């Protein structure tokens, strides 16, 4: 079992500090597989990944961001630019990959599968794009991902659009992908005539699918 901490709504910098504390704990305790932090970032924040072109994909002017109360933060994760805010579930798995028999690329595919399985439970068909990490519904991105691995322990993770203000993504070129719209779980479920689940249900489902896939990864195949 993973230790799961629900941070509720929290500023990005504060959650980043808690990630780093969790990273140190996982490194120090060889008996644990890791921890998971769940959060909705509030106030909203735009984070810039390590790609050199990330800042060029910020299209909103500073005065507009200030008027909207949107912060901008540099990040040490992989990937490009993204937005986080209320209605978006951000999961930060702090995992010891070596103890889980995982390497980086299989870990990214595992995270994608967790989200694909989660939204499938709600009747939404998600898929991968070989050229763009994350989870897609048709041509629409529903979940962005970006991680960092230090001493084989991960930080950062995934951001699933449950019910955010999708207009917020107009402030950026999401993940640096021009012409690729974003969507939300609410929008896709309602388009099929369903009722979107509350955030608490989505959180529980994500943790359950993550634990199941990590257990499968640890189990040697015969």
């Amino acid at each position: 079992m993973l230790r799961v901490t629900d941070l509720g709504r929290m500023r990005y910098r504060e959650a980043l500090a808690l990630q780093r504390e969790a990273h140190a704990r996982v490194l120090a305790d060889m008996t644990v597989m890791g921890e998971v932090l769940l959060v909705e970032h509030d106030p909203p924040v735009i984070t810039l990944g390590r790609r050199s072109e990330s800042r060029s994909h910020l299209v909103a002017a500073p005065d507009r961001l200030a008027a909207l109360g949107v912060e901008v933060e540099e990040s040490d994760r992989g990937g490009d630019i993204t937005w986080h805010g209320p209605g978006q579930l951000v999961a930060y798995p702090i995992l010891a990959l070596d103890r889980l028999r995982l390497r980086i690329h299989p870990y990214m595919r595992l995270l994608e599968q967790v989200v694909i399985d989660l939204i499938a439970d709600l009747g939404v068909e998600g898929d991968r794009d070989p050229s763009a990490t994350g989870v897609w519904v048709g041509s629409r991105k529903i979940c962005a991902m970006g991680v960092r691995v230090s001493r084989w322990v991960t930080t950062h993770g995934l951001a699933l659009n449950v019910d955010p203000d999708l207009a917020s993504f107009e402030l950026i070129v999401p993940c640096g992908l021009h012409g690729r719209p974003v969507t939300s779980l609410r929008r896709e479920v309602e388009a099929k005539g369903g009722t979107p689940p509350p955030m608490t249900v989505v959180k529980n489902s994500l943790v359950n699918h993550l634990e199941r896939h990590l257990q499968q990864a640890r189990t040697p195949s015969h």
Side-chain angles (χ1 to χ4, degrees), residues 1-4 34-38 91-95 97 100 102 107-115 117-118 145 154 156-158 202-218:
M1 295 292 289
L2 296 170
R3 175 185 173 185
V4 180
E35 304 183 18
V36 180
L37 306 180
L38 304 177
Y92 293 129
I94 318 299
L95 304 175
L97 293 185
L100 289 163
L102 282 171
Y107 172 61
M108 299 303 295
R109 305 293 80 78
L110 183 151
L111 289 183
E112 290 169 341
Q113 193 62 49
V114 165
V115 174
D117 291 351
L118 185 163
M145 298 181 180
T154 64
H156 303 285
L158 63 88
V202 180
K203 288 177 179 178
N204 290 335
S205 180
L206 187 144
V207 170
N208 289 338
H209 282 297
L210 179 61
E211 288 183 330
R212 177 172 60 85
H213 279 288
L214 290 176
Q215 183 59 46
Q216 290 174 354
R218 292 184 63 201

Side-chain angles (χ1 to χ4, degrees), residues 59-66:
V59 298
D63 57 347
R64 186 180 179 198
L65 296 175

Side-chain angles (χ1 to χ4, degrees), residues 73-136:
E73 296 282 356
E74 302 278 351
S75 175
D76 59 1
R77 61 166 171 77
D80 207 291
I81 193 170
T82 195
W83 173 92
H84 301 305
Q88 184 191 72
L89 174 57
V90 179
Y92 293 129
I94 318 299
L95 304 175
L97 293 185
D98 52 347
R99 301 171 210 168
L100 289 163
R101 306 174 187 268
L102 282 171
R103 289 297 179 260
I104 296 172
H105 290 292
Y107 172 61
M108 299 303 295
R109 305 293 80 78
L110 183 151
L111 289 183
E112 290 169 341
Q113 193 62 49
V114 165
V115 174
I116 290 170
D117 291 351
L118 185 163
I119 66 176
D121 291 343
L122 300 166
V124 177
E125 183 178 353
D127 203 356
R128 296 180 174 90
D129 181 336
S131 65
T133 298
V135 177
W136 302 78

Side-chain angles (χ1 to χ4, degrees), residues 1-185:
M1 295 292 289
L2 296 170
R3 175 185 173 185
V4 180
T5 304
D6 188 345
L7 302 176
R9 293 192 176 189
M10 181 177 286
R11 186 181 295 270
Y12 179 80
R13 285 190 184 184
E14 295 172 3
L16 180 60
L18 293 177
Q19 280 195 77
R20 290 169 175 164
E21 291 175 9
H23 184 273
R25 284 194 299 271
V26 172
L27 274 177
D29 187 349
M30 294 294 294
T31 68
V32 302
M33 298 297 105
E35 304 183 18
V36 180
L37 306 180
L38 304 177
V39 66
E40 292 176 73
H41 285 304
D42 193 11
V45 61
I46 290 168
T47 63
L48 307 172
R50 290 180 298 192
R51 291 180 184 168
S52 59
E53 63 270 27
S54 288
R55 187 165 288 278
S56 68
H57 295 144
L58 175 58
V59 298
D63 57 347
R64 186 180 179 198
L65 296 175
L68 294 171
V70 179
E71 301 179 341
V72 178
E73 296 282 356
E74 302 278 351
S75 175
D76 59 1
R77 61 166 171 77
D80 207 291
I81 193 170
T82 195
W83 173 92
H84 301 305
Q88 184 191 72
L89 174 57
V90 179
Y92 293 129
I94 318 299
L95 304 175
L97 293 185
D98 52 347
R99 301 171 210 168
L100 289 163
R101 306 174 187 268
L102 282 171
R103 289 297 179 260
I104 296 172
H105 290 292
Y107 172 61
M108 299 303 295
R109 305 293 80 78
L110 183 151
L111 289 183
E112 290 169 341
Q113 193 62 49
V114 165
V115 174
I116 290 170
D117 291 351
L118 185 163
I119 66 176
D121 291 343
L122 300 166
V124 177
E125 183 178 353
D127 203 356
R128 296 180 174 90
D129 181 336
S131 65
T133 298
V135 177
W136 302 78
V137 180
S139 62
R140 304 173 299 282
K141 194 164 196 177
I142 197 168
C143 183
M145 298 181 180
V147 304
R148 173 180 167 83
V149 181
S150 175
R151 297 175 64 186
W152 287 107
V153 175
T154 64
T155 50
H156 303 285
L158 63 88
L160 173 62
N161 295 331
V162 179
D163 186 19
D165 178 3
L166 292 176
S168 299
F169 289 94
E170 296 172 6
L171 303 171
I172 63 175
V173 179
C175 302
L177 300 171
H178 293 273
R180 302 293 297 270
V182 297
T183 189
S184 68
L185 196 53

